[in-house]
Amino acid sequence: MNRHRLATAAVVLGLLGSLTTSAWAGPHARQAAPPDRVTRVSAAPGSATALTGYTIQSTAKVSDPPADISSPGYPATGWYPAGPRSTVLAALLANGVYADPFYSTNQQKIPKADFQVPWWYRSDFTVADTSGRTSLDLSGVISAADVYVNGHQVATAQDVTGAYTHHELDVTSLVRSGTNTVAFRIRPNDPDKNLTMGWIDWLQPPPDENMGIVRDVLVRRGGPVALRDAHVVTRLDVPSLASADLTVKAQARNDSGEPVTTTVLGSIGTTAFEKTLTLAAHETRTVSFTPSDVPGLHLTSPKVWWPAGMGGQPLYDLKLTASVSGTVSDTAQQTFGIRDVQAPLNSDGARQYRVNGRRLLIKGGGWSPDEFLRWDRTYVEDRLKYALDLGLNTIRLEGHLEPDEFFDLADRYGILTLPGWECCDKWEGQVNGSESGEKWTAADYPVAKASMAAEAARLRDHPSVISFLVGSDFAPDATIEKNYLDALKADDWPVPVVAAASDKSSPQLGSSGLKMTGPYDWIPPNYWYAKREGGATGFNSETSAGPDIPTLDTLRRMMTPAELDTLWKNPNAKQYHRSPSSTFGTLKLYDDALTGRYGAPKSLTDYVRKAQLAQYENVRAQFEAYGRNATDSSKPSTGVVYWMFNSGWTSLHWQLMDRYLDQGGAYFGAKKANEPLHVQYSYDDRSVVVVDNRHSAASGLTVRATLFDPDGTQKYDRTVTGVKVGGDGAHSTALTLPASVPGLATTYLVRLTLSDSSGREISRNVYWLSSRPDTLDWARTDWYYTPTTSYADLTGLGAMPQIPVAATASTDTSGATATTTVTLRNTGSGKTPALFTDVHLVDAQGKPVLPVEWSDNEVGLWPGETVTLTATYRTADLHGSAPRVRVSGWNTPERTVPAA
């Protein structure tokens, strides 16, 4: 986030309360079952067995010496079970120690003092055969840990420190046949003091600051020669894509005290290769295979990996085996993709990404893990599927670099990722002036470099990863930058490195080519069309109009009746579920705009329906403006990251969907704007534009634009035929609406339709506009918003009569997936449309069935018009209930119909 915004000390103090990294249980997760107390370690050479879980306890309650605690048979009476990736607080929540921290202000009641002392993590594992070598492989420790095995200390907290550093501890001499014990004494976390993770102003920070172990701890077994760091360097011929060269690399390490001759065998598909080498005692040497010595590593017609919507996502597998005297000593495997990423600066100094030679507009969202870093693969996969449904192509991770499975899923679905370090705490403490985060000591530099090396090695083979941002709000200084770049180079980092997410430069990398000019709070839809500040020019790394009020269903799950009453009645009230930042503590800017444009809310229900309408128009405008300007010859837009894609808790802002995966105006506004072939209105010059987000061009299109008073009286109608538009994000102007239309009401509706050569409607877009536009005071722009001096008058929508919408629905179930088909019809007898008609799939109790993928939603229907929508979801999420469909809208009475 743009945190020079944290200009005051009060804001800074509020922002950094939390550290992050590890697992998360989704909104439907049940209380975690106690983990298997003993991990059975495989004896196979090359095996890496993850510890299945821990028992944990505060050092304030344990006075026994570490030698006893870390020995087999220690009676961990009264300790709490924890999963294999768990913060302290995540484990305590799973054990029911505290009430739901996502509801009301429950989290404030959790005592922070409990987490200001170290905590013990203890786990047992069994080894049947001790003839091989054994090591502990770990990362994801927050913030640091003393490590003990079978009563002996094997590492100190000075050695194992930092959330991202990777450690391999040889414990061969300590491991015995049968039960073994590993214990970690986890140090408290402070993101201002430790190179870990912090939440900044996203949410109320967790009281434990995410202290714990949030990635798998592996027990590795092998022989005298270990294989590490296996990866593939790919070079794709661009633009032909006709061939690719692969270079395979790995480190062969002799862990014995004697010289060893080893044979390394490898394969990629049907191509096999082999090399024999002799290693001196404890020697490590790079083993490489290139097309010059293995012709099969020169591929003709390679299977090229593409982002979603641009092509397929094929992946290759590398397999390596090291043998000594015919006996397997170690194995390694790595999945990779073949693609080329370039990101030069254009003539305006903006970074322009190209994948496999094709330019693309980065359309993304800022990712948040669960606040307590609880990993739930299904929940993560659901959110990534939502990204595709929204037409997004990129996820940005500002710190909080998720486990390997996240990037595996991104590879599989073709979602690009922009990982990088975070702002506003220790990571930028050396360079961020007056913001939070302590200055670095000599001990911090090697931790930062080791963190960079570990993440580079982990991420480099994922084709979804297209950059690493080594700074966020600030760029690193010369020393830090050199350390990062040296680590990246040593790890064969294959894609562009960016100095910062803001418009900063570093000595070697130069300009970032990105901007972080906001906004982060409410601005009107026309803001996005100005080619200045956060408007649609260049690459905006994080931006939105701030608050995203969730649906009424979700609000009732996260706030008390009294809090909900305050939500709609008091714009000046501090909202705990917005942000710890004083800048974003209330909803005043947002609420003033909602009242000024739509009229004062009359009830909670009225407040929420106006919020959904406002969020739809604003999010749609943001993506439409960037989409329209992407191929401009002057100051084109090259990227936009919605801040944020999702929230790590129950939030009132910065989210395209809520914690429970419910969808409202923000979600469907983004989905509409990013349609593959899309017709849209321009708030700046009234042009009606067709944008083609597909690769292929389109021709023979028909665009129709019709203007109506809110009561449905038609005031203007124009049809343009023979419209054509190029692919890859090109746009074509079909017509321009007149500056004034005689007799048109102050508040009016615009209906745009796009039809193909056969007359089939392929895009429909309905706008609510005013002849009195929103007026911005650009001269008073702050880092987080631009003031609005007068609001568009949309109050005329409040006079629209209630219009009945008939609905019928049926459901088809195929195995684990169900599809509900809903047909809506405006049955009104007059001429008034049903505006913003929303359909929610619910169970027999009226609770939303989530996640769900709708073909479209929040649609406008004119009298006699019919639309058919489909909803696809997991049958299991009905929990045995018959599906029902709840229909409501801006001027449509709510009703629920069966959908079995």
Side-chain angles (χ1 to χ4, degrees):
M1 299 224 50
N2 185 323
R3 282 45 83 143
H4 7 279
R5 46 211 196 222
L6 313 182
T8 68
V11 174
V12 173
L13 289 175
L15 285 211
L16 278 197
S18 136
L19 281 199
T20 144
T21 213
S22 181
W24 132 264
H28 306 296
R30 299 162 182 81
Q31 180 168 311
D36 185 349
R37 298 303 178 105
V38 179
T39 303
R40 291 161 181 80
V41 173
S42 170
S47 64
T49 306
L51 296 179
T52 56
Y54 306 91
T55 53
I56 72 169
Q57 186 56 275
S58 169
T59 59
K61 297 183 178 181
V62 178
S63 59
D64 297 321
D68 291 350
I69 293 170
S70 62
S71 293
Y74 175 79
T77 306
W79 289 38
Y80 299 98
R85 309 172 186 175
S86 181
T87 65
V88 171
L89 189 48
L92 298 180
L93 290 170
N95 284 279
V97 175
Y98 305 113
D100 179 8
F102 290 116
Y103 181 72
S104 187
T105 57
N106 283 350
Q107 186 168 264
Q108 286 183 320
K109 302 171 186 176
I110 301 174
K112 294 183 180 180
D114 289 354
F115 312 107
Q116 292 171 356
V117 298
W119 278 67
W120 280 108
Y121 276 57
R122 187 183 185 282
S123 187
D124 290 336
F125 62 94
T126 60
V127 173
D129 178 8
T130 59
S131 61
R133 303 195 66 82
T134 305
S135 62
L136 294 177
D137 186 309
L138 61 137
S139 66
V141 175
I142 300 178
S143 69
D146 301 294
V147 186
Y148 300 83
V149 173
N150 290 344
H152 300 271
Q153 186 167 13
V154 296
T156 70
Q158 286 69 41
D159 301 317
V160 179
T161 184
Y164 301 107
T165 55
H166 174 248
H167 309 275
E168 186 175 356
L169 308 175
D170 189 340
V171 295
T172 303
S173 64
L174 299 176
V175 169
R176 57 203 186 200
S177 179
T179 301
N180 298 266
T181 300
V182 57
F184 302 88
R185 184 165 53 196
I186 305 293
R187 300 295 179 90
N189 184 41
D190 182 340
D192 280 344
K193 297 179 179 179
N194 309 121
L195 289 168
T196 52
M197 304 182 200
W199 288 100
I200 309 105
D201 46 4
W202 304 358
L203 44 71
Q204 297 292 349
D208 73 337
E209 300 285 8
N210 293 136
M211 67 183 297
I213 302 176
V214 299
R215 292 182 183 171
D216 287 339
V217 173
L218 306 175
V219 182
R220 291 188 176 273
R221 301 301 308 283
V225 173
L227 287 175
R228 297 291 183 266
D229 202 37
H231 62 286
V232 181
V233 180
T234 65
R235 291 191 178 277
L236 177 64
D237 185 41
V238 177
S240 76
L241 312 184
S243 65
D245 286 335
L246 311 180
T247 297
V248 176
K249 291 185 177 182
Q251 298 293 316
R253 187 183 71 210
N254 180 4
D255 286 331
S256 76
E258 304 291 335
V260 172
T261 298
T262 182
T263 298
V264 179
L265 297 172
S267 66
I268 297 175
T270 59
T271 299
F273 34 90
E274 175 182 336
K275 189 168 290 185
T276 298
L277 63 157
T278 298
L279 300 170
H282 303 296
E283 180 187 4
T284 299
R285 194 185 310 173
T286 300
V287 182
S288 63
F289 303 91
T290 68
S292 61
D293 51 54
V294 182
L297 295 178
H298 174 78
L299 306 184
T300 56
S301 301
K303 292 182 245 181
V304 176
W305 188 94
W306 288 94
M310 298 177 71
Q313 291 79 45
L315 297 170
Y316 289 82
D317 289 313
L318 164 68
K319 297 179 181 179
L320 292 174
T321 299
S323 298
V324 176
S325 301
T327 300
V328 173
S329 179
D330 202 4
T331 62
Q333 186 168 335
Q334 184 65 47
T335 299
F336 66 98
I338 298 175
R339 56 90 178 91
D340 177 82
V341 179
Q342 302 295 326
L345 303 184
N346 66 15
S347 58
D348 300 305
R351 197 165 294 276
Q352 174 68 70
Y353 278 85
R354 296 178 181 271
V355 177
N356 302 330
R358 279 167 54 184
R359 184 178 64 181
L360 77 161
L361 172 68
I362 295 295
K363 293 185 291 186
W367 181 266
S368 175
D370 167 59
E371 178 173 5
F372 308 111
L373 305 181
R374 297 169 293 190
W375 173 259
D376 183 325
R377 178 188 170 93
T378 299
Y379 185 61
V380 169
E381 190 168 11
D382 288 339
R383 284 179 285 168
L384 292 178
K385 288 179 179 177
Y386 268 11
L388 293 181
D389 183 49
L390 289 172
L392 304 182
N393 56 27
T394 304
I395 291 294
R396 180 184 165 211
L397 299 96
E398 185 192 13
H400 303 83
L401 304 182
E402 291 278 37
D404 295 343
E405 295 97 321
F406 176 90
F407 296 95
D408 291 338
L409 288 168
D411 293 343
R412 172 182 166 190
Y413 287 114
I415 299 171
L416 304 175
T417 61
L418 290 171
W421 304 129
E422 65 197 45
C423 84
C424 314
D425 54 20
K426 186 57 174 269
W427 283 102
E428 293 186 347
Q430 193 65 14
V431 294
N432 66 7
S434 61
E435 288 190 9
S436 185
E438 292 186 356
K439 296 294 183 182
W440 288 22
T441 68
D444 292 313
Y445 290 87
V447 173
K449 184 174 182 179
S451 300
M452 185 75 265
E455 288 304 294
R458 189 172 72 96
L459 300 178
R460 65 191 163 200
D461 276 326
H462 287 284
S464 59
V465 177
I466 58 167
S467 269
F468 199 96
L469 279 64
V470 293
S472 181
D473 288 28
F474 295 88
D477 63 22
T479 301
I480 298 172
E481 180 196 42
K482 182 179 187 303
N483 286 341
Y484 286 156
L485 292 181
D486 287 349
L488 288 161
K489 182 178 179 181
D491 279 326
D492 293 322
W493 184 252
V495 292
V497 181
V498 180
S502 62
D503 184 16
K504 302 290 185 182
S505 300
S506 58
Q508 293 187 57
L509 294 170
S511 172
S512 69
L514 276 58
K515 66 178 183 178
M516 193 185 280
T517 45
Y520 297 93
D521 212 327
W522 194 86
I523 43 81
N526 62 346
Y527 171 99
W528 300 109
Y529 286 84
K531 289 194 173 185
R532 56 181 295 173
E533 275 77 29
T537 181
F539 192 130
N540 199 340
S541 67
E542 47 181 63
T543 187
S544 74
D548 284 306
I549 304 300
T551 64
L552 193 55
D553 294 296
T554 291
L555 286 171
R556 286 173 172 154
R557 293 179 72 174
M558 61 185 267
M559 300 172 78
T560 67
E563 289 166 343
L564 291 173
D565 211 36
T566 299
L567 176 66
W568 74 271
K569 289 181 177 178
N570 188 356
N572 293 303
K574 176 115 178 124
Q575 294 293 340
Y576 183 74
H577 285 269
R578 189 167 183 207
S579 172
S581 162
S582 61
T583 303
F584 304 117
T586 75
L587 290 166
K588 180 169 175 52
L589 287 176
Y590 177 87
D591 287 352
D592 286 352
L594 208 63
T595 295
R597 300 174 88 241
Y598 289 101
K602 301 177 180 65
S603 65
L604 175 64
T605 299
D606 187 48
Y607 176 81
V608 173
R609 78 176 185 127
K610 286 174 176 172
Q612 302 312 316
L613 200 68
Q615 286 156 198
Y616 186 102
E617 64 163 339
N618 212 312
V619 176
R620 175 179 59 180
Q622 176 176 339
F623 282 106
E624 284 184 338
Y626 273 85
R628 187 198 70 175
N629 293 356
T631 54
D632 285 358
S633 58
S634 174
K635 299 179 70 175
S637 56
T638 63
V640 59
V641 177
Y642 189 87
W643 205 251
M644 297 177 63
F645 176 70
N646 68 298
S647 179
W649 80 325
T650 42
S651 179
L652 296 172
H653 76 159
W654 294 343
Q655 56 188 355
L656 291 175
M657 81 287 300
D658 63 44
R659 175 186 179 250
Y660 303 106
L661 302 182
D662 205 355
Q663 306 143 314
Y667 186 98
F668 290 112
K671 180 177 171 69
K672 175 59 65 176
N674 294 319
E675 289 177 319
L677 192 57
H678 178 65
V679 62
Q680 64 186 58
Y681 167 80
S682 304
Y683 282 81
D684 58 343
D685 60 10
R686 305 181 310 283
S687 61
V688 175
V689 172
V690 178
V691 178
D692 189 353
N693 292 306
R694 310 163 310 158
H695 182 48
S696 58
S699 60
L701 303 174
T702 297
V703 173
R704 183 182 180 187
T706 314
L707 275 60
F708 303 88
D709 285 346
D711 67 359
T713 302
Q714 182 175 308
K715 294 294 187 177
Y716 174 89
D717 189 42
R718 184 181 173 192
T719 299
V720 177
T721 61
V723 176
K724 60 183 178 179
V725 60
D728 291 332
H731 69 269
S732 176
T733 299
L735 60 98
T736 299
L737 296 179
S740 63
V741 173
L744 186 66
T746 301
T747 303
Y748 61 96
L749 304 175
V750 176
R751 183 184 66 196
L752 305 179
T753 61
L754 176 68
S755 304
D756 63 17
S757 57
S758 68
R760 179 177 63 93
E761 185 176 291
I762 53 180
S763 177
R764 169 183 285 225
N765 214 344
V766 178
Y767 294 81
W768 38 100
L769 303 172
S770 174
S771 59
R772 192 161 66 208
D774 296 290
T775 304
L776 289 150
D777 186 356
W778 292 103
R780 292 174 56 216
T781 296
D782 204 339
W783 62 262
Y784 64 98
Y785 87 118
T786 296
T788 303
T789 56
S790 63
Y791 296 114
D793 183 358
L794 299 172
T795 57
L797 297 179
M800 295 178 71
Q802 293 286 289
I803 299 299
V805 173
T808 58
S810 62
T811 297
D812 176 62
T813 301
S814 177
T817 302
T819 300
T820 294
T821 301
V822 184
T823 299
L824 304 175
R825 181 178 176 83
N826 181 332
T827 57
S829 58
K831 54 191 176 184
T832 305
L835 181 66
F836 206 63
T837 306
D838 176 88
V839 187
H840 257 70
L841 186 75
V842 297
D843 64 16
Q845 287 73 46
K847 297 178 180 178
V849 178
L850 300 167
V852 60
E853 181 180 326
W854 286 97
S855 57
D856 196 6
N857 212 325
E858 296 180 342
V859 297
L861 288 170
W862 268 252
E865 286 189 332
T866 297
V867 65
T868 297
L869 310 175
T870 60
T872 305
Y873 52 99
R874 286 188 293 265
T875 308
D877 288 335
L878 285 168
H879 303 293
S881 174
R884 294 161 62 84
V885 167
R886 186 179 68 207
V887 181
S888 61
W890 175 258
N891 59 326
T892 299
E894 182 180 307
R895 62 186 298 231
T896 302
V897 301

